[in-house]
Amino acid sequence: MILLITGASHTGKTLLAQRLLETLHVPYLSIDHLKMGLIRSGNTALTPEDDDALTAYLWPIVREIVKTAIENRQNLIVEGCYIPFAWRQDFDGRYLWEIRFVCLAMTEAYIETHFAEIVGQESEIEKRLVPTGCTIDGLKADNARVIAGFRNAGEPVALIEGDYEQTILRLQREIEGEYDGIPEN
């Protein structure tokens, strides 16, 4: 099974992927790591701030990694924000059957109430070397864009609107339950 975890900035995509790696022993690919490897190696002139262009650049690579993992009957978690809203159109039924999709986003009310905590946890899993410049207005706009984009594409969005830890734990348990009975590679 392939698990795609995407969502808005600062929602805990990497945290969820890391927890699932630890409990399921399924490897995960961080699209951010792929992005930085390609940027630092000089294989692209794009910068970390070129979000839309990075999605167009990275998604074809990630898409083919997903297909290869499915064809090889390998489990894989793919995590990052560079998954396009209409990602399903790139897979036929034999691939889609093997893909589980999770999108994380926070409500505006949650952001307003918990902004200091959100920013305070931004390096929980991956240590950010430079400040992200995260603002409350930017975070609200990014979450609203992600919610509207994925919902308009017919995708479910797991909203963080109350207890953050309980939301992540609920998703983790649901996913772990889906992986029960799937043979390890």
Side-chain angles (χ1 to χ4, degrees):
M1 179 187 293
I2 305 300
L3 174 61
L4 298 179
I5 301 174
T6 194
S9 177
H10 291 74
T11 55
K13 299 177 296 291
T14 306
L15 173 66
L16 180 57
Q18 181 68 36
R19 286 183 180 181
L20 291 167
L21 165 80
E22 292 169 2
T23 60
L24 297 172
H25 309 287
V26 171
Y28 84 84
L29 168 67
S30 166
I31 303 174
D32 278 343
H33 291 175
L34 177 61
K35 168 190 77 177
M36 292 311 298
L38 291 164
I39 290 171
R40 288 179 171 175
S41 67
N43 281 292
T44 181
L46 295 171
T47 70
E49 289 78 35
D50 297 326
D51 284 337
D52 290 339
L54 281 165
T55 299
Y57 180 70
L58 293 168
W59 177 245
I61 298 166
V62 172
R63 177 191 67 219
E64 297 309 315
I65 290 170
V66 167
K67 287 179 180 178
T68 301
I70 291 170
E71 291 161 358
N72 287 312
R73 302 180 55 79
Q74 296 171 310
N75 296 320
L76 180 65
I77 299 165
V78 177
E79 169 271 321
C81 62
Y82 302 105
I83 297 174
F85 300 134
W87 67 271
R88 283 185 193 272
Q89 72 185 14
D90 292 334
F91 299 97
D92 63 30
R94 68 185 164 144
Y95 294 109
L96 287 172
W97 179 257
E98 298 292 333
I99 299 172
R100 164 76 151 87
F101 175 81
V102 173
C103 176
L104 297 172
M106 296 177 277
T107 64
E108 191 169 297
Y110 182 86
I111 294 167
E112 288 174 0
T113 307
H114 297 91
F115 182 71
E117 294 168 50
I118 294 165
V119 174
Q121 297 294 319
E122 69 184 3
S123 290
E124 187 71 20
I125 299 297
E126 294 179 333
K127 305 304 177 221
R128 298 177 194 249
L129 299 178
V130 295
T132 62
C134 180
T135 66
I136 194 165
D137 290 335
L139 206 53
K140 286 179 184 179
D142 186 40
N143 278 269
R145 180 189 63 78
V146 165
I147 292 167
F150 280 112
R151 282 189 172 163
N152 288 340
E155 298 293 346
V157 177
L159 287 179
I160 300 164
E161 54 191 339
D163 186 312
Y164 175 84
E165 183 59 33
Q166 286 302 313
T167 301
I168 297 299
L169 190 57
R170 177 185 53 78
L171 287 168
Q172 180 182 347
R173 287 181 178 150
E174 285 175 12
I175 294 163
E176 289 169 350
E178 291 176 24
Y179 271 85
D180 282 348
I182 296 176
E184 290 188 30
N185 298 326

